[in-house]
Amino acid sequence: MSWDDLYRDTPMRVRGWEQELFLLFSFHVQEAKRVLELGCGMALNWEPIRDYMFPHAQYHGIDASEQALKLARDKYPEIHALHCGDFSEGLPFESGFDVIFDRASVPHNTLAAMKQTLRLALEALKPGGIYIGVDWFSTAHSEYRRGERVNGENTFTGYTTGTFRNIGNVHFTDEREIEDIFDGFELQRVQERTQRIPLLIQKCPWIPDEFYGREYRLSVFDIVARKPL
């Protein structure tokens, strides 16, 4: 199944702004004239940036789904630039961004692709620019090791149930690996958030049946990194 299919046929996967992203912007970004979102989807994160924080910022987005970008263009005709493509293969925008961010987009890749993405982001940021990553999947997540391992690393695929069903690669990481992925950056924040859902007693569409009657852990990292001056 492609990302276009997911946006067309599975609306529950379409997510917008969340509190953690808002807080990280508020605490770590003083100004933002040019902003780039990796894996922007329908660009739902643009609206709170525009309305509550940086109304004059130019928003750019890149996503693998043309279907999602079409919906974004229809909803937000003022957006500066949207591009359909693989952000790990190149960022087709002029460099000098104040902020580049993603929400659970970069970790839907192999480790090599994630490292390449952060190298590209480092080049695209202006000196002192900020990278924000939200919801990077932790190896403490209950979905870790449930899929088929890719290349002998902590990337898994082939999920047939749960939140990662038919979604392709999912990479799970830890603090030591995050330091390696963000080589060349100055890490400002690496925080693991874990939500424990105990003793499931009824079906939930995004939790596999095998966890009913057991604890389910949603464990992710929030990351803030700075390009050196």
Side-chain angles (χ1 to χ4, degrees):
M1 182 177 287
S2 69
W3 286 102
D4 271 342
D5 293 331
L6 290 172
Y7 276 98
R8 186 181 298 111
D9 301 332
T10 319
M12 67 170 287
R13 295 189 186 273
V14 178
R15 305 185 303 172
W17 188 261
E18 68 174 23
Q19 182 181 9
E20 284 74 19
L21 193 54
F22 180 86
L23 291 174
L24 293 177
F25 260 83
S26 299
F27 289 145
H28 294 279
V29 180
Q30 280 70 51
E31 66 170 3
K33 296 179 181 178
R34 299 180 70 233
V35 175
L36 169 61
E37 182 174 8
L38 307 180
C40 63
M42 295 166 56
L44 299 177
N45 291 318
W46 160 237
E47 197 165 322
I49 294 174
R50 178 195 65 194
D51 292 348
Y52 299 111
M53 290 183 288
F54 304 108
H56 303 296
Q58 293 183 344
Y59 175 92
H60 303 63
I62 181 169
D63 197 272
S65 170
E66 186 58 60
Q67 172 70 14
L69 294 178
K70 178 181 183 303
L71 295 171
R73 293 185 185 102
D74 291 343
K75 186 175 178 64
Y76 306 113
E78 78 277 12
I79 284 180
H80 187 72
L82 295 172
H83 179 82
C84 186
D86 184 340
F87 51 68
S88 71
E89 295 181 354
L91 301 178
F93 307 107
E94 183 179 350
S95 61
F97 286 100
D98 298 283
V99 183
I100 298 177
F101 72 99
D102 84 281
R103 181 186 173 195
S105 297
V106 171
H108 282 296
N109 285 282
T110 64
L111 179 58
M114 293 172 68
K115 290 182 176 181
Q116 176 61 13
T117 298
L118 268 297
R119 284 192 288 268
L120 293 169
L122 186 64
E123 294 174 0
L125 283 166
K126 73 176 187 181
I130 297 294
Y131 188 97
I132 297 175
V134 173
D135 289 352
W136 280 39
F137 312 117
S138 166
T139 53
H141 199 297
S142 285
E143 298 287 350
Y144 176 52
R145 294 179 175 170
R146 285 194 62 248
E148 303 166 9
R149 192 181 290 271
V150 177
N151 298 332
E153 59 188 48
N154 284 336
T155 305
F156 294 83
T157 191
Y159 287 87
T160 58
T161 59
T163 189
F164 298 135
R165 177 175 58 88
N166 297 330
I167 211 167
N169 290 329
V170 186
H171 187 82
F172 299 86
T173 191
D174 56 30
E175 289 193 41
R176 180 178 296 180
E177 189 176 73
I178 288 170
E179 292 179 2
D180 184 44
I181 293 171
F182 280 84
D183 183 44
F185 283 89
E186 298 171 352
L187 283 169
Q188 308 286 296
R189 184 188 189 100
V190 179
Q191 180 174 2
E192 189 171 13
R193 285 185 288 117
T194 299
Q195 178 184 359
R196 288 178 167 84
I197 304 174
L199 295 176
L200 292 167
I201 59 176
Q202 61 183 4
K203 287 186 177 293
C204 178
W206 51 271
I207 297 180
D209 289 352
E210 68 186 72
F211 287 97
Y212 296 138
R214 297 167 49 195
E215 178 183 86
Y216 187 86
R217 294 187 313 278
L218 295 168
S219 191
V220 296
F221 284 100
D222 297 328
I223 305 162
V224 179
R226 178 176 176 270
K227 180 175 179 175
L229 292 170

